[in-house]
Amino acid sequence: MDRDGRPPPDPTDGRTGARPRRARPRLLRMRARLGRARTAVAHRATRTAARLRAVVRRARQAPPPPGPFRPGFWRSPLRGPWLTSVFGLVLLAGIPVLLVTGLLSYAAYNPGLGPPDDQTPDKGVLGFYLFDWPTHPYWLYRLTQGVHVTLGVTLVPVLLAKLWSVLPKLFEWPPVRTLAHALERLSLLTLVGGAIFEFATGILNIQLFYVFPGSFYTLHFYGAWVLAAAFAVHVALRLGRMARALRSRDPAAELRTDLARTRPEPPDPDHLVPAAPRAPSMTRRGAVGMVGAGSLLLLVVTAGQSIGGRLRATALLAPHNRDPGSGPNGFQINKTAAAVGVTPAHVGPDWRLELHGHGPALVLTRDRLLALPQHAAALPIACVEGWSTADQHWSGLRLTDLAALAGLPHAGSVLVESVQPPGPYSSVLLRGNQIHDPRSLLALRVNGADLSIDHGFPARVIVPANPGVNNTKWVRRLTFRA
């Protein structure tokens, strides 16, 4: 009873706000089923984990298959962490430069403008760094792409030596020991595969040997990002070990060691040092010297195509007509008119240039173009294959003047179309900053003479710091856009 003499409230009476009713029988049954399911899943997971551990244990106990999986197969006394780290240090410095200059080349192609320039429409976040490619300095693309190609070729012996030094790692037995080991193996295989793919496709492109199952541009771009990711993971996993290996031996003393005193390195946890090494037939000094000499030789026979001058004669690996002839048009070209299907009929007396912009289109003959105010610029041609010309003296009409003539003096882009049959780079989209650079021309003449048909007669585009393939030849239409 309370103070007023009334009985206390019934605890089960919902109207009084007392404690809730008991759980319903159906809810209890559902909870019971859920508990039994959790127990069953945990039991199965335990059994699966036990079976996996048993499989791994049996694999570890099983003898390795014959051949390269056997520890005694690898017997070179030179293999070891120190030599591997020496080659790795060179690649650690070189591969980031290759990646950066390669991605800069991608930016120079102006893929941010969309088609027809962009051949990677599904790039997504991989295009995060794109920017308006500058026209200053005018030799920028010649420098970045020359470094990219020359360095890539020069690093080939170092890459092969590094792969040789770690070859036993690719044949470890058992192939996978733990989850961490599996991830490390995956990163290693991705790194090796990505490096081989990028170097191989790049060299094939330099030699104009187009055997790719698609566009080189697209394949090389996505391959570069795969290599970059694998390289970053590998460096994070191995940088500490590489530093310790480099500190373990005195480089000067190692490179003074003769053959009689050459000894295998102490056993290492990565098993790079052979278990039963044979007698050495070469010193580590000889191995490093042989790789260095190979790189130096490739540098000598490659760099001339980018540097030019007298060194061009040494560019034995450059397929672009090392002797292009004499006269005003005697400089390198990428593809001839015949190679892309341009005939004299396409560029004969009936040729006209169409200007589109604001208002009616203008149709101009070559004589009419020559009668307009002419301007000059000294600019090279630099191509993705790494070759470039010396500065050539071009003359013609400024693109910015043509934009004004088309009624769009502040044009933001221009679509340049060629008379050549439709195909890769038969048209290109240039940015506003490229249009309004006073050195950007619709060139009609070069070095005081009319353009030859192979150099783009009757008119071609020439833009500072622009990839050569974007300096469209045999122009028939310019469409300026606001």
Side-chain angles (χ1 to χ4, degrees), residues 13-207:
D13 188 351
R15 293 173 300 175
T16 63
R19 68 173 181 266
R21 298 175 181 177
R22 294 181 179 176
R24 296 178 180 178
R26 182 180 298 175
L27 182 59
L28 292 174
R29 288 195 297 270
M30 289 177 63
R31 289 177 176 174
R33 290 195 197 103
L34 183 59
R36 289 194 296 270
R38 288 175 177 171
T39 302
V41 168
H43 183 63
R44 288 175 185 173
T46 301
R47 286 189 299 173
T48 301
R51 289 173 182 171
L52 288 176
R53 285 194 295 270
V55 170
V56 171
R57 190 163 50 250
R58 285 196 297 269
R60 288 179 176 177
Q61 295 171 352
F69 291 96
R70 297 286 175 92
F73 184 86
W74 309 101
R75 301 190 60 196
S76 171
L78 300 185
R79 278 195 181 92
W82 184 82
L83 190 61
T84 295
S85 298
V86 170
F87 298 138
L89 183 63
V90 178
L91 294 176
L92 181 63
I95 286 183
V97 176
L98 284 181
L99 291 171
V100 169
T101 52
L103 292 173
L104 286 177
S105 178
Y106 175 71
Y109 271 68
N110 288 333
L113 292 180
D117 298 34
D118 192 1
Q119 299 184 35
T120 56
D122 299 323
K123 60 185 177 294
V125 297
L126 298 182
F128 71 92
Y129 71 97
L130 293 176
F131 55 94
D132 290 359
W133 185 251
T135 57
H136 298 273
Y138 72 91
W139 40 260
L140 178 62
Y141 190 74
R142 184 182 184 186
L143 173 66
T144 59
Q145 195 61 14
V147 169
H148 181 74
V149 171
T150 303
L151 180 60
V153 173
T154 303
L155 285 179
V156 167
V158 184
L159 177 68
L160 294 177
K162 177 68 160 59
L163 292 177
W164 169 85
S165 71
V166 298
L167 200 56
K169 293 287 293 179
L170 300 179
F171 296 93
E172 282 185 335
W173 190 264
V176 176
R177 300 190 185 96
T178 63
L179 178 59
H181 184 244
L183 293 175
E184 182 181 355
R185 295 275 289 168
L186 180 62
S187 70
L188 178 62
L189 293 175
T190 305
L191 176 66
V192 172
I196 292 175
F197 178 83
E198 285 296 281
F199 275 80
T201 54
I203 290 172
L204 290 174
N205 182 66
I206 294 169
Q207 297 302 318

Side-chain angles (χ1 to χ4, degrees), residues 74-396:
W74 309 101
R75 301 190 60 196
S76 171
L78 300 185
R79 278 195 181 92
W82 184 82
L83 190 61
T84 295
S85 298
V86 170
F87 298 138
L89 183 63
V90 178
L91 294 176
L92 181 63
I95 286 183
V97 176
L98 284 181
L99 291 171
V100 169
T101 52
L103 292 173
L104 286 177
S105 178
Y106 175 71
Y109 271 68
N110 288 333
L113 292 180
D117 298 34
D118 192 1
Q119 299 184 35
T120 56
D122 299 323
K123 60 185 177 294
V125 297
L126 298 182
F128 71 92
Y129 71 97
L130 293 176
F131 55 94
D132 290 359
W133 185 251
T135 57
H136 298 273
Y138 72 91
W139 40 260
L140 178 62
Y141 190 74
R142 184 182 184 186
L143 173 66
T144 59
Q145 195 61 14
V147 169
H148 181 74
V149 171
T150 303
L151 180 60
V153 173
T154 303
L155 285 179
V156 167
V158 184
L159 177 68
L160 294 177
K162 177 68 160 59
L163 292 177
W164 169 85
S165 71
V166 298
L167 200 56
K169 293 287 293 179
L170 300 179
F171 296 93
E172 282 185 335
W173 190 264
V176 176
R177 300 190 185 96
T178 63
L179 178 59
H181 184 244
L183 293 175
E184 182 181 355
R185 295 275 289 168
L186 180 62
S187 70
L188 178 62
L189 293 175
T190 305
L191 176 66
V192 172
I196 292 175
F197 178 83
E198 285 296 281
F199 275 80
T201 54
I203 290 172
L204 290 174
N205 182 66
I206 294 169
Q207 297 302 318
L208 306 180
F209 190 50
Y210 299 113
V211 292
F212 314 110
S215 166
F216 162 78
Y217 177 98
T218 306
L219 294 172
H220 208 64
F221 171 73
Y222 287 118
W225 281 111
V226 171
L227 175 59
F231 183 77
V233 172
H234 188 72
V235 169
L237 293 173
R238 293 287 177 171
L239 187 59
R241 297 183 188 181
M242 185 182 79
R244 289 191 295 271
L246 291 172
R247 290 195 300 265
S248 68
R249 304 174 85 85
D250 179 14
E254 194 65 38
L255 297 179
R256 287 195 301 267
T257 303
D258 58 20
L259 184 62
R261 293 182 295 164
T262 297
R263 299 288 185 271
E265 296 184 46
D268 66 298
D270 293 323
H271 305 291
L272 294 176
V273 179
R278 62 172 176 264
S281 58
M282 177 185 290
T283 63
R284 292 183 181 86
R285 173 182 60 194
V288 172
M290 181 176 66
V291 173
S295 291
L296 180 61
L297 176 63
L298 290 177
L299 174 66
V300 169
V301 299
T302 302
Q305 67 174 347
S306 300
I307 298 173
R310 294 182 179 179
L311 289 177
R312 188 175 298 282
T314 67
L316 303 180
L317 296 185
H320 293 277
N321 53 332
R322 289 185 296 275
D323 183 15
S326 58
N329 283 271
F331 55 94
Q332 284 70 20
I333 59 173
N334 191 335
K335 293 181 180 178
T336 64
V340 297
V342 174
T343 66
H346 288 109
V347 295
D350 294 334
W351 175 88
R352 299 290 185 272
L353 174 71
E354 298 178 20
L355 280 184
H356 295 264
H358 181 70
L362 298 177
V363 180
L364 305 171
T365 65
R366 193 170 190 275
D367 289 340
R368 174 73 185 281
L369 293 172
L370 286 169
L372 294 173
Q374 304 290 297
H375 299 273
L379 299 172
I381 295 177
C383 245
V384 69
E385 292 93 355
W387 65 270
S388 58
T389 71
D391 290 356
Q392 308 298 320
H393 295 273
W394 310 88
S395 63

